[in-house]
Amino acid sequence: MTGTFPLVDIKNVEKRFGGSGGFLSTRQPIVSALNNVTLSVQKGNAFCLVGESGCGKSTLARTVMGLHPPSRGEIHYDGKRIDDLSQRDRQVYTRKMQMIFQNPYASLNPRMTVRQTLEEPLKIHRPGMSKLEVRDKVEEVMRSVGNDPAWGDRYPHEFSGGQRQRISIARALMLDPEFIVADEPISALDVSIQAQVLNVMMDAQEDRDLTYLFITHDLSVVEHFGSHVAVMYLGTVCELSETKSLFAAPRHPYTRALLSAIPKMDAKGVDHLKMTGEVPTAMDLPTGCVFHPRCPVARERCKREVPELKENGDTKTACFAVEEAWI
Amino acid sequence: MALLEVKGLEVEFPLGRKTLQALHGVDFSLDRGERLGIVGESGAGKSVAAFSILNLISRPGRISEGEVLFDGTDLTRLDDAAMREIRGNKISMIFQDPMMTLNPVLTIGTQMIECLQAHREISKEDARKISIDKLKEVMIPSAENRMESYPHELSGGMRQRVVIAIALLTDPSIIIADEPTTALDVTIQAEIMVLMLALCKNNNVGLILITHDLAVVSQVTERIMVMYAGRVVEQGPTREVIQNPGHPYTRGLIKALPQENIPGARLNQIPGSMPSLDAIPAGCAFNPRCEFVDLECHNAIPPLCGEGEQKIACIHRDRIPRFNLSEKGI
């Protein structure tokens, strides 16, 4: 677990949707989902992406996984560029990179038994394995996520949400990947079950030396689970830092607002930094800093110029207020 | 007497030859302007408890026992016409997903006016005025224009505000909110919670807030009721219950929160999951998941009791170590 070796390197990635005239329609509006995102995930990290809905965190995850190609920029895995590979060349990386989705009710095929679901990746990527080896592997992985291997012949509908999400995790672990992208894996679950699933993911990280890209809108989970955090707003990274320093001293006004919105158990009443308005749509990006219409400390410069992500003490922020120390 | 009093409520769902019992003698009450939180995992019966107040249990499910006294009348005995006078009028409801609650093919204005005219003899013009006022009350910018909007034109947070405005239209005395912020982002959740708290306080409206998020409950409510497998396992003033939980289940729920754990360490978890209704364990239903379980727990169902205001349904309640919330990672 070296701390300096970038496993996944995202370089100046942009992603736009729409724009071309579709069938029977005139030009569609362009949605700029990602704007010049640069970040790298070191081996052994639990890298968290946080932000409100519509900030592009899922788009980034899907772009990394190759589920849609970036409009501009490059994605490197283990030193090699992977975003321009053909589907065939990409298969090598599919084995190393796996994904866990948000909703375990939608991401498991209802007509396949748990065993079929878990065996499928092996049939595709490891056709040489014998039946016995496959069976042993399924049992081993089922056990490691805390599910009884005897449940193999049941269908997804027979399981509770937490058990289903553990099956999704098991499916992602079947190929012994190095890197797992988890897109809000616990937000559809009860609080008590969230703890179970997080523990399974943390155990798997320890046992298998995994690297995570973990997407969530819940900062309390990040503080617990993440080693590094990128806070995203409207397709841009506005703060990037180690989890400890981010929680100890959030710099960017958006990060501060997000942190203050976490409901706290011992607080009297609700008390949070007010952000005015809601996330604007990515169809019509604000000029200058994308956060300025909601920012409590925005000044003239923020409306004109786009701040770059710059080193500021132990965190990186994209904010003029932090740079020029007026906050 | 309390505004709403639920006594010995039992709800059952016939399933083939079996009958599944979803609630086993649930008692609670709500004073005028009081805010009560109902907490528990999925399947604990918290929604069934709230739905049965308004007699919204879908057939063949039925309230088999108990009474729901609202202002002295037993709502379980009312016929449909009389129930409509209460439902959405004196007691309103807010559901989890605002996109499912609002009619996608009608404008916000049409839906609000329709709701008012269903409950009151009122002209369309007056109904429109009241609707705009309510939209302003829930801080919707340019309320007049929003009356012409369709639900899909609004963001999730705005939609939930509209739903709250509709719930407030008839000046109800109680609002039942079933996971009103679960589908929303943390920042929007905070805004909606601040708003609901202010509205309830200003209008002296009682609130029954159903959620699995203890942190939200602790900020908004005055009293809390924790449910497990169709029974109330702990009840009391919110601060007392949160700071000093007495039932092992409440304890487990609080300890499982990431903010109550040392960052990076394994989270405290409650092992297993909520039993399904046809396989509820004998004795205390929580016993297979409980860390303090012993033989006695399998014998009898513990009653909800306690000296002070905090009531706990656990035979070992005196021997369970209490913890102080401010110390992390206990």
Side-chain angles (χ1 to χ4, degrees), chain A residues 62 67 99-104 107 165 168 171 183-185:
Chain A
R62 286 164 176 265
L67 295 177
M99 190 155 176
I100 301 167
F101 295 90
Q102 173 171 6
N103 187 348
S107 63
Q165 197 56 298
S168 315
R171 179 176 58 184
D183 188 359
E184 307 243 17

Side-chain angles (χ1 to χ4, degrees), chain B residues 32-90:
Chain B
R32 207 169 278 277
E34 194 184 20
R35 298 182 301 278
L36 169 75
I38 306 184
V39 202
E41 290 166 278
S42 324
K46 48 193 198 306
S47 293
V48 174
F51 279 43
S52 45
I53 296 172
L54 285 178
N55 220 333
L56 284 175
I57 303 295
S58 42
R59 266 172 248 271
R62 64 189 193 94
I63 298 174
S64 51
E65 202 76 54
E67 42 188 24
V68 178
L69 296 173
F70 174 71
D71 237 353
T73 12
D74 185 358
L75 299 187
T76 58
R77 289 172 200 284
L78 294 185
D79 59 20
D80 284 350
M83 198 62 214
R84 271 199 292 277
E85 289 297 304
I86 306 277
R87 201 188 280 150
N89 191 16
K90 297 199 170 118

Side-chain angles (χ1 to χ4, degrees), chain A:
Chain A
M1 281 231 235
T2 47
T4 49
F5 181 64
L7 186 66
V8 177
D9 228 347
I10 299 163
K11 292 182 180 167
N12 304 92
V13 165
E14 279 180 23
K15 178 69 196 171
R16 286 183 299 274
F17 293 102
S20 62
F23 178 60
L24 286 185
S25 75
T26 47
R27 255 184 105 69
Q28 289 176 326
I30 294 176
V31 177
S32 319
L34 295 174
N35 304 304
N36 204 6
V37 173
T38 301
L39 48 92
S40 62
V41 181
Q42 314 287 326
K43 200 161 174 30
N45 276 3
F47 195 103
C48 295
L49 283 177
V50 244
E52 291 166 274
S53 340
C55 74
K57 49 193 197 302
S58 296
T59 309
L60 183 61
R62 286 164 176 265
T63 312
V64 170
M65 289 303 291
L67 295 177
H68 32 59
S71 310
R72 253 189 54 197
E74 298 176 4
I75 291 158
H76 293 245
Y77 184 86
D78 216 354
K80 295 203 183 58
R81 185 169 175 187
I82 53 164
D83 60 274
D84 56 353
L85 292 181
S86 67
Q87 208 170 357
R88 206 191 164 130
D89 294 335
R90 193 153 178 124
Q91 270 214 359
V92 186
Y93 293 96
T94 321
R95 270 167 234 162
K96 297 182 181 168
M97 307 164 77
Q98 286 287 317
M99 190 155 176
I100 301 167
F101 295 90
Q102 173 171 6
N103 187 348
Y105 292 83
S107 63
L108 294 173
N109 187 336
R111 303 183 62 170
M112 279 163 92
T113 63
V114 173
R115 191 184 311 284
Q116 286 168 335
T117 301
L118 295 183
E119 281 174 354
E120 199 179 28
L122 292 179
K123 282 186 183 150
I124 296 166
H125 291 282
R126 309 242 193 281
M129 275 176 98
S130 74
K131 268 191 180 162
L132 202 70
E133 283 171 325
V134 170
R135 213 183 63 198
D136 288 350
K137 182 77 195 163
V138 169
E139 278 192 15
E140 183 247 311
V141 173
M142 281 285 272
R143 261 198 206 99
S144 75
V145 298
N147 277 354
D148 187 347
W151 297 345
D153 294 319
R154 299 200 197 164
Y155 287 90
H157 74 261
E158 298 174 69
F159 295 97
S160 69
Q163 288 166 338
R164 271 186 233 203
Q165 197 56 298
R166 291 204 295 261
I167 295 168
S168 315
I169 296 174
R171 179 176 58 184
L173 292 176
M174 282 311 286
L175 293 168
D176 298 314
E178 302 167 339
F179 177 67
I180 288 186
V181 172
D183 188 359
E184 307 243 17
I186 55 166
S187 29
L189 307 172
D190 270 337
V191 182
S192 52
I193 307 299
Q194 286 185 356
Q196 293 180 358
V197 171
L198 273 183
N199 281 341
V200 166
M201 290 184 67
M202 284 162 72
D203 290 347
Q205 185 180 26
E206 209 158 279
D207 298 344
R208 294 159 195 262
D209 204 7
L210 288 171
T211 307
Y212 282 119
L213 182 65
F214 190 93
I215 296 164
T216 178
H217 62 258
D218 187 348
L219 274 160
S220 58
V221 173
V222 175
E223 182 178 20
H224 191 78
F225 182 82
S227 60
H228 295 73
V229 202
V231 181
M232 288 186 69
Y233 185 80
L234 265 187
T236 25
V237 175
C238 51
E239 184 157 2
L240 187 68
S241 120
E242 280 189 32
T243 310
K244 269 190 210 138
S245 29
L246 185 102
F247 280 84
R251 299 295 195 87
H252 197 284
Y254 180 61
T255 317
R256 294 182 188 203
L258 268 187
L259 278 177
S260 75
I262 307 178
K264 285 174 199 72
M265 300 282 293
D266 35 7
K268 274 186 203 146
V270 200
D271 167 39
H272 70 116
L273 285 180
K274 200 128 181 115
M275 273 191 292
T276 41
E278 298 197 18
V279 190
T281 69
M283 262 185 270
D284 190 12
L285 287 182
T287 56
C289 170
V290 281
F291 186 55
H292 88 255
R294 292 175 81 194
C295 182
V297 296
R299 289 187 184 176
E300 225 16 73
R301 187 178 176 195
C302 308
K303 293 182 191 161
R304 282 180 283 113
E305 295 170 51
V306 181
E308 271 176 54
L309 199 62
K310 284 188 184 157
E311 207 101 20
N312 257 303
D314 39 7
T315 78
K316 281 183 177 178
T317 45
C319 178
F320 293 128
V322 176
E323 236 171 84
E324 296 173 3
W326 79 60
I327 183 173

